[in-house]
């Protein structure tokens, strides 16, 4: 069981060794301490950078819990917009913003979350539309994107 210090450290800079300690995704949501769309999307971007075959299941559970909480507390389209900004699929209003995520992993995480009952269907449609529109650009950025596109039914 991770300590509160472990959880705080994980929220700031997720690592593979810390993700393996996490058994309750709601502990991470509580440690994150915010449901702000920008903060949530930024955290998911950091998580996407440590995702691999070994950590995917735990990270998916964390992402589901964090997103469920954020969608409940915010306008769903605000959450969707920030996720798209974090992946670099739409421009940020902040001039100096640099997308900070592994786009392929973010799309895998979102494809998983979009299949969950909490995920608003209008938001899933919006994300899918952007993935379709940017398919060629994404194909250049992501190795082995065929499965990702399949999960978005493209």
């Amino acid at each position: 069981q991770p300590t509160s210090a472990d959880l705080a450290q994980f929220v700031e800079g997720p690592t593979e060794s810390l993700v393996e300690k996490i058994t309750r995704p709601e502990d991470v949501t509580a440690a994150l301490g915010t449901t702000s769309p920008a903060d949530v999307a930024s955290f998911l971007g950091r998580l996407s950078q440590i995702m691999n075959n070994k950590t995917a299941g735990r990270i998916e559970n964390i992402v589901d819990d964090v997103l469920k909480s954020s969608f409940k507390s915010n306008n769903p389209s605000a959450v969707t917009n920030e996720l798209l900004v974090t992946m670099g699929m739409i421009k940020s209003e902040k001039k100096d913003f640099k997308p900070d995520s592994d786009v392929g992993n973010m799309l895998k995480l979102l494809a998983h979350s979009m299949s969950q009952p909490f995920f608003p269907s209008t938001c899933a449609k919006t994300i899918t539309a952007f993935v379709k529109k940017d398919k060629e650009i994404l194909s250049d950025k992501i190795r082995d994107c065929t499965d990702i596109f399949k999960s978005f039914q493209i």
Side-chain angles (χ1 to χ4, degrees):
Q1 190 68 5
T3 65
S4 55
D6 287 339
L7 289 166
Q9 184 183 350
F10 182 74
V11 166
E12 283 307 306
T15 63
E16 191 176 327
S17 59
L18 281 174
V19 82
E20 289 172 10
K21 290 183 179 182
I22 294 166
T23 55
R24 294 169 21 106
E26 56 273 20
D27 291 344
V28 176
T29 303
L32 188 57
T34 179
T35 59
S36 143
D39 293 339
V40 164
S42 174
F43 176 62
L44 299 191
R46 292 192 301 277
L47 274 181
S48 72
Q49 294 174 337
I50 63 156
M51 189 172 113
N52 56 42
N53 289 340
K54 196 167 143 191
T55 61
R58 286 180 192 241
I59 290 177
E60 285 171 349
N61 292 337
I62 293 167
V63 168
D64 285 350
D65 200 73
V66 168
L67 281 177
K68 188 187 306 179
S69 177
S70 190
F71 277 126
K72 218 181 278 181
S73 308
N74 296 285
N75 178 332
S77 66
V79 178
T80 304
N81 286 349
E82 290 298 335
L83 291 168
L84 291 168
V85 166
T86 297
M87 292 186 289
M89 296 177 89
I90 60 175
K91 289 201 184 320
S92 172
E93 292 175 15
K94 298 176 195 133
K95 296 271 184 259
D96 59 348
F97 180 83
K98 293 266 185 284
D100 191 23
S101 68
D102 176 310
V103 179
N105 282 346
M106 278 288 285
L107 289 173
K108 288 175 189 170
L109 289 168
L110 288 174
H112 167 80
S113 292
M114 286 166 40
S115 70
Q116 304 304 309
F118 73 84
F119 205 99
S121 62
T122 54
C123 298
K125 286 177 185 156
T126 300
I127 291 170
T128 300
F130 273 91
V131 172
K132 269 185 182 158
K133 179 180 79 67
D134 292 343
K135 187 175 179 183
E136 279 183 38
I137 296 164
L138 292 170
S139 296
D140 291 341
K141 283 187 185 178
I142 304 167
R143 278 183 299 117
D144 193 27
C145 50
T146 312
D147 287 343
I148 293 172
F149 291 145
K150 270 189 204 149
S151 59
F152 283 92
Q153 288 144 7
I154 298 173

